[in-house]
Amino acid sequence: MSNSNEVYFLSDREVHHPTLAITITALEEIKRSRKATAVCLVNDFTPAKFTVNWLKDGEPLHSGIVTSPAFQVNGNGNFSATSQLTFSAAEWFGGSVYTCQVNHEKDLISQNISRSPDPNLCDEPKITILPPPVEQELMEMTVTLTCRVSNAPYGITVSWNHKKEHLASEIQPTEHGDIVESKVNISTRDWLSGDYFECVVSHDDLPSPKTGRINWKKAQHLLAPSVSVLLPPTEEISAHKTITLTCFVRGFSPRRVFVTWTVDDKRVHWSKYRNTEVEAENGNDTFFTYSLLSVGAEQWASGASFSCLVGHEALPMKTIVRTVNKSSGKPSFVNVSLVLMDTVNSCQ
């Protein structure tokens, strides 16, 4: 076996053996796509006839192989070629050795490649547990907790526990190859009980599992929001094809709040409005936010009713609604527990 260029003449014919180099798909792409592709570069050989075989841990492979014909890339008359081997990410991270083996003019040239240490293991996995959306917490019978693991090596496992009992969950890759998420659905009553829920992260290369915990904490400083819907000036309504309704929510604590819109009691798609970040009010421990809804002038002129729905734990009925329409002149005020989903959390 050889892995260097050799030049000699055989029966008045020049023979130039190839050099080999192997590359592998980028680590992020392997994690994202769940497969790996090794490319064997067969360079600078003549004559053009050659064969390529791939081996895994010394055993021949017969599938997932694509080899190009020999082609000339410069003016010296020599040839080059490529051979690709595609296999699963699990096989790659299993630590196997892959060999590109080229037979050229009775000479056998080979090059190996195997998994390098995962750079993510230089930094231990980091666990971040996200609480459920406020809207779920206030309006639904079940809520979703999310365990986000960054610096996650391939093959990591994530599980959930509550009172030492295992909870059914599933792990999901994200668009970032070194971040995975696991979500678990639990009853709203269990969440609001204040019990701890644990996310446990395990991997063969970790000395011991890592655990993160989260629980619901009742705020000590509860202030309900005030809600106003601000109408655009009359001249704007008559001069534009679209108008903007502004829902101003202020004076609330804690900062977790949700704001959404309905038109004639039908939910407005989130793409039709924009909520600003929740900000602290100057000099106070209270917060404010805006929600901006774009409305067609014709729809406004039709007399449709537009409602800004705000949810916050300090509200007696969990939600407050502010409704305006063309004929109302001034916003009307309603304080109700509005049904947004198929279920109602009557226990709140």
Side-chain angles (χ1 to χ4, degrees):
M1 291 188 185
S2 171
N3 191 35
S4 60
N5 286 80
E6 293 182 79
V7 182
Y8 60 91
F9 292 87
L10 184 63
S11 302
D12 297 326
R13 182 164 55 94
E14 181 181 356
V15 174
H16 198 280
H17 288 307
T19 57
L20 305 184
I22 303 182
T23 62
I24 191 74
T25 313
L27 182 62
E28 293 295 313
E29 178 63 18
I30 294 176
K31 291 181 177 180
R32 187 193 65 79
S33 65
R34 303 301 191 194
K35 62 182 180 180
T37 299
V39 180
C40 183
L41 308 174
V42 188
N43 294 317
D44 204 24
F45 60 94
T46 193
K49 186 177 180 181
F50 74 106
T51 59
V52 177
N53 294 299
W54 284 90
L55 296 84
K56 175 185 175 183
D57 295 330
E59 297 297 322
L61 296 172
H62 304 288
S63 62
I65 301 170
V66 177
T67 301
S68 75
F71 55 88
Q72 290 184 310
V73 294
N74 52 45
N76 65 3
N78 289 344
F79 295 86
S80 293
T82 63
S83 183
Q84 298 181 13
L85 173 67
T86 301
F87 48 95
S88 71
E91 291 177 292
W92 174 248
F93 287 110
S96 295
V97 176
Y98 291 86
T99 303
C100 174
Q101 193 175 79
V102 176
N103 196 319
H104 182 255
E105 292 294 322
K106 299 182 180 181
D107 200 8
L108 199 61
I109 308 102
S110 63
Q111 181 74 42
N112 297 333
I113 191 170
S114 60
R115 171 197 175 192
S116 299
D118 193 333
N120 286 324
L121 293 177
C122 298
D123 298 314
E124 285 196 353
K126 179 182 177 182
I127 299 174
T128 303
I129 304 181
L130 306 179
V134 182
E135 188 171 340
Q136 273 193 347
E137 194 174 286
L138 297 180
M139 306 298 294
E140 301 182 22
M141 299 294 289
T142 61
V143 297
T144 302
L145 303 180
T146 302
C147 183
R148 181 174 295 163
V149 185
S150 54
N151 297 324
Y154 185 84
I156 199 167
T157 61
V158 183
S159 59
W160 288 88
N161 296 322
H162 175 227
K163 294 182 177 179
K164 298 183 179 181
E165 292 185 5
H166 179 73
L167 302 178
S169 61
E170 58 182 31
I171 191 169
Q172 301 170 339
T174 67
E175 60 183 9
H176 304 287
D178 64 343
I179 298 177
V180 297
E181 290 184 348
S182 176
K183 298 180 183 291
V184 64
N185 295 320
I186 60 175
S187 74
T188 303
R189 179 175 294 180
D190 283 347
W191 169 243
L192 296 179
S193 72
D195 287 346
Y196 278 98
F197 292 83
E198 294 182 340
C199 173
V200 182
V201 174
S202 304
H203 190 270
D204 290 342
D205 293 330
L206 288 175
S208 62
K210 293 178 65 68
T211 301
R213 305 173 78 202
I214 191 173
N215 72 317
W216 179 81
K217 297 181 180 66
K218 184 175 179 63
Q220 300 300 313
H221 185 50
L222 283 174
L223 286 174
S226 64
V227 181
S228 303
V229 177
L230 310 177
L231 302 180
T234 304
E235 56 270 20
E236 180 182 332
I237 295 176
S238 59
H240 295 84
K241 293 182 179 180
T242 60
I243 63 174
T244 300
L245 301 180
T246 302
C247 187
F248 181 32
V249 186
R250 64 172 301 275
F252 56 91
S253 181
R255 69 182 302 143
R256 297 187 75 220
V257 68
F258 78 84
V259 184
T260 188
W261 292 83
T262 64
V263 178
D264 290 336
D265 297 326
K266 295 181 180 179
R267 191 71 175 267
V268 175
H269 191 268
W270 60 264
S271 63
K272 300 297 183 182
Y273 60 91
R274 180 172 60 87
N275 294 343
T276 64
E277 294 292 334
V278 175
E279 301 286 352
E281 294 183 306
N282 291 335
N284 295 309
D285 294 328
T286 55
F287 301 88
F288 73 93
T289 186
Y290 289 91
S291 184
L292 309 174
L293 173 67
S294 295
V295 176
E298 290 184 3
Q299 188 180 26
W300 175 259
S302 71
S305 293
F306 299 86
S307 299
C308 175
L309 169 70
V310 177
H312 191 270
E313 63 179 291
L315 291 165
M317 299 295 289
K318 305 304 180 187
T319 60
I320 188 171
V321 179
R322 196 76 154 146
T323 300
V324 295
N325 55 43
K326 177 186 176 183
S327 60
S328 65
K330 295 182 179 180
S332 59
F333 178 78
V334 186
N335 190 352
V336 297
S337 181
L338 186 68
V339 180
L340 292 181
M341 304 296 174
D342 293 335
T343 58
V344 181
N345 190 351
S346 58
C347 300
Q348 300 303 307

